[in-house]
Amino acid sequence: MRILLVEDDKLIGDGLRAGLVKMGFTLDWFTRGEEGKAALLAAPYDAVILDLTLPGIDGLDILRAWRAQGRQEPVLILTARDALAQRVEGLRLGADDYLCKPFALIEVAARLEALIRRAHGQATNALQHGKVTLNPDSLTATFDGAPLPLKPKEFALLELLMRNAGRVLPRKLIEEKLYSWDDDVSSNAVEVHVHHLRRKLGSDFIRTVHGIGYTLGEA
């Protein structure tokens, strides 16, 4: 899942980027408020981590502008401000959750997963399709009850397809979900990951819709 981080503290940003990427997220990090504000309009993010105290523009003003534009991406506010009035203001402006610094990385990840799960209308984080079960919390998967070894991008692609079961995902969208702007992406990266998953799950597990993209096959 692709996350937008808008945070000017280099130490916090470095820790979040390293930790969340290790946990299987794709992450773009911006330290300036205006750049982060514009970034949400330029890529298909699954959730946002937004600091409130940013150079040039307040985080609440960014949130207010996003919601006024009709943006519905889940927003987790991450800030040192712990006054009740400020937390309430952020939630009323459209924030979906709130964490005060200092925080535990595992809690940030858990809250992101909960926001993304709710955005997809899913009651639990475990995903099931046919004989495949995927657990994003533990980054584990099984096939017919047996452990299914997956490389990070294979896991991310499978999770993306399973969260969007019944939808045809364009190849370009898949690429944008799996890779950040800092990644060096080969022109056939998505096709390679699809090929590897088919070798592990069967040729019919992922269906190609020619000229459009990919979707899951029948369960």
Side-chain angles (χ1 to χ4, degrees), residues 39-128:
L40 189 66
L41 311 180
Y45 292 103
D46 295 285
V48 180
I49 303 172
L50 176 65
D51 186 25
L52 292 190
T53 306
L54 296 163
I57 184 172
D58 191 84
L60 290 179
D61 292 331
I62 294 176
L63 178 60
R64 184 183 290 107
W66 282 341
R67 295 313 190 215
Q69 293 169 335
R71 306 301 306 194
Q72 299 297 316
E73 289 86 350
V75 174
L76 171 63
I77 288 181
L78 191 67
T79 181
R81 303 179 190 176
D82 58 359
L84 176 61
Q86 292 170 325
R87 295 201 301 270
V88 171
E89 183 182 7
L91 294 169
R92 285 178 172 169
L93 284 174
D96 299 273
D97 203 354
Y98 213 111
L99 259 182
C100 291
K101 304 171 186 176
F103 57 84
L105 177 64
I106 192 171
E107 184 176 7
V108 176
R111 288 177 183 255
L112 287 174
E113 289 161 355
L115 292 177
I116 294 169
R117 183 174 67 243
R118 290 201 296 267
H120 285 268
Q122 295 162 341
T124 66
N125 215 28
L127 302 170
Q128 177 106 31

Side-chain angles (χ1 to χ4, degrees), residues 12-25 27 105 109:
I12 291 175
D14 279 334
L16 283 171
R17 179 169 60 183
L20 291 177
V21 168
K22 189 175 181 179
M23 292 178 179
F25 293 93
L27 187 137
L105 177 64

Side-chain angles (χ1 to χ4, degrees), residues 187-207:
S187 59
N188 67 334
V190 172
E191 287 79 4
V192 170
H193 298 320
V194 169
H195 172 71
H196 289 161
L197 285 176
R198 282 172 171 162
R199 289 182 62 184
K200 296 176 180 181
L201 303 174
S203 59
D204 295 332
F205 193 86
I206 299 175
R207 184 166 61 89

